Amino acid sequence: MSANASERLIEATRELLWERGYVGTSPKAIQQAAGAGQGSMYHHFAGKPALALAAIRRTAEELRAAAETELGGTGPAYTRIEAYLLRERDVLRGCPVGRLTMDPDVMADAELRAPVDETLDWLRGRLAEILQEGLDSGEFSPSLDARETAAAIVATAQGGYVLARAAGSPAAFDTAVRGLLALLSPRTAH
Amino acid sequence: MSANASERLIEATRELLWERGYVGTSPKAIQQAAGAGQGSMYHHFAGKPALALAAIRRTAEELRAAAETELGGTGPAYTRIEAYLLRERDVLRGCPVGRLTMDPDVMADAELRAPVDETLDWLRGRLAEILQEGLDSGEFSPSLDARETAAAIVATAQGGYVLARAAGSPAAFDTAVRGLLALLSPRTAH
């Protein structure tokens, strides 16, 4: 029961951080959503910041694992990047990691910001590796810089969420991603 | 004095929305930041939603005017888009319009979301016009779709803010933008 309470508290915090942001997530709301009492919460976690850190770390781990599903494939670089960008996702909720950058309280706390930064940094690095493979095999125009192109890919996805949320429609994400893929496409560049 | 109070209330709301988000911005905090009393606030505005709408509309107008400074130039399409993306901006604060998409209360209110959507839509449309000019003049690869490419450009800028805020450094914005510009560059595409 005790392990379950800890688990429920983390999941409730993830949900509330996503829906309401840090400042809008009260310890009381977390306890209610988790079906856990105040004593249970403070038995498992030092407080809201510790619980938020556990929630953000778990979200970050899930993002890495999900990205690696497509990026860790064996096909050509372009195909793996395309699969990553076009995979099904809950676009209107925003990127569970990226949107934390717009939460003032998360950004103001170096400990809470660290997993956000590390995750986006890992994703850029992973994409840069794959782009470099594609450059080495002649798949892409040799004028491309792997690191800068990787940053543009991550930025397009992150900005795609912004456009989709503004429009209230996932199509805006897809349009931006298709625009980037056309620019990156071996056919266009050669 | 009365017109000044209205003005100060709008500016204080813009600042607080940016710093604290909608839920973190109390009418009392607005009044304190504006140096205006409760009576003055409710004399000028029906309440916090009306004040937030005025603040968001003003921010949206400023973004359009600032974008048009570079986009409305007379040079080649690529040069104007490059100037727009590379112009000086307070990257670490995030896009004053785009970041509102990660504010759950702003997105949940159709009236507050409308100016956010309209502004990003206008920006995409304006960039698509310029890209079409570049396509018509043979500046870009004819395989590019103006509308999709415009969406990728806006997304890269919006995502560039996300990456910069996560890293705590404006350089992450610049890297993403340089990556996109290299993909778009007439030299790369031809």
Side-chain angles (χ1 to χ4, degrees):
Chain A
M1 251 337 229
S2 179
N4 270 339
S6 165
E7 188 58 29
R8 290 199 311 273
L9 284 160
I10 292 176
E11 288 302 320
T13 305
R14 292 174 74 191
E15 192 64 28
L16 286 163
L17 271 183
W18 210 348
E19 277 176 12
R20 307 294 311 153
Y22 190 91
V23 74
T25 299
S26 67
K28 195 172 169 176
I30 295 171
Q31 290 154 26
Q32 283 178 342
Q38 183 172 328
S40 170
M41 173 170 154
Y42 290 101
H43 170 71
H44 291 289
F45 299 96
K48 176 173 144 180
L51 196 38
L53 184 59
I56 292 172
R57 281 193 179 142
R58 176 163 311 172
T59 300
E61 279 160 25
E62 285 188 4
L63 184 144
R64 283 194 195 208
E68 198 54 31
T69 305
E70 284 89 13
L71 296 180
T74 52
Y78 178 83
T79 312
R80 285 148 72 195
I81 293 169
E82 186 183 36
Y84 166 68
L85 287 171
L86 295 178
R87 78 141 189 264
E88 258 190 74
R89 50 184 100 203
D90 196 351
V91 166
L92 290 183
R93 296 199 81 186
C95 172
V97 172
R99 68 179 285 179
L100 293 168
T101 62
M102 299 304 152
D103 191 318
D105 298 273
V106 174
M107 288 300 102
D109 182 322
E111 221 178 343
L112 295 180
R113 184 164 68 79
V116 175
D117 185 24
E118 284 158 20
T119 305
L120 293 172
D121 205 43
W122 170 83
L123 185 56
R124 262 176 310 198
R126 192 71 187 86
L127 284 163
E129 277 172 20
I130 295 170
L131 287 160
Q132 191 59 53
E133 287 175 36
L135 283 164
D136 292 345
S137 69
E139 199 179 326
F140 299 121
S141 160
S143 66
L144 292 192
D145 176 278
R147 204 177 125 265
E148 289 181 0
T149 310
I153 293 170
V154 177
T156 300
Q158 290 297 327
Y161 288 112
V162 170
L163 296 180
R165 282 176 62 84
S169 157
F173 179 95
D174 299 334
T175 306
V177 159
R178 278 198 304 270
L180 183 85
L181 285 170
L183 289 170
L184 186 64
S185 163
R187 277 168 302 139
T188 309
H190 286 187
Chain B
M1 249 339 225
S2 179
N4 270 340
S6 164
E7 187 59 26
R8 290 200 310 274
L9 284 160
I10 292 176
E11 287 302 319
T13 305
R14 292 174 73 190
E15 192 64 27
L16 286 163
L17 272 184
W18 209 347
E19 278 176 12
R20 307 295 312 154
Y22 190 91
V23 75
T25 299
S26 67
K28 195 173 171 175
I30 295 172
Q31 290 154 26
Q32 282 177 342
Q38 183 172 330
S40 171
M41 173 171 154
Y42 289 100
H43 170 70
H44 290 290
F45 299 96
K48 177 174 144 180
L51 196 39
L53 183 59
I56 292 171
R57 282 194 179 143
R58 177 164 311 172
T59 300
E61 279 160 25
E62 285 187 5
L63 183 145
R64 283 194 195 208
E68 199 53 33
T69 304
E70 283 90 11
L71 296 179
T74 51
Y78 179 82
T79 312
R80 285 147 72 192
I81 292 168
E82 185 184 39
Y84 166 68
L85 287 172
L86 296 179
R87 76 139 189 266
E88 258 191 76
R89 50 184 100 202
D90 196 351
V91 165
L92 289 183
R93 298 200 78 185
C95 172
V97 172
R99 67 178 285 178
L100 293 168
T101 62
M102 299 304 153
D103 191 318
D105 299 273
V106 173
M107 287 301 101
D109 182 322
E111 220 178 344
L112 295 180
R113 184 165 66 79
V116 175
D117 185 25
E118 284 159 18
T119 305
L120 293 172
D121 205 43
W122 170 85
L123 184 56
R124 262 177 309 199
R126 191 72 186 86
L127 283 163
E129 277 173 18
I130 295 170
L131 287 160
Q132 193 57 55
E133 287 175 36
L135 283 164
D136 293 344
S137 69
E139 198 180 327
F140 299 121
S141 159
S143 66
L144 292 190
D145 176 279
R147 205 178 124 264
E148 288 181 2
T149 311
I153 293 170
V154 177
T156 301
Q158 290 296 328
Y161 288 113
V162 170
L163 297 179
R165 281 176 64 85
S169 156
F173 179 95
D174 300 333
T175 306
V177 158
R178 277 198 303 271
L180 182 86
L181 285 171
L183 289 170
L184 186 65
S185 161
R187 276 167 305 139
T188 309
H190 286 190

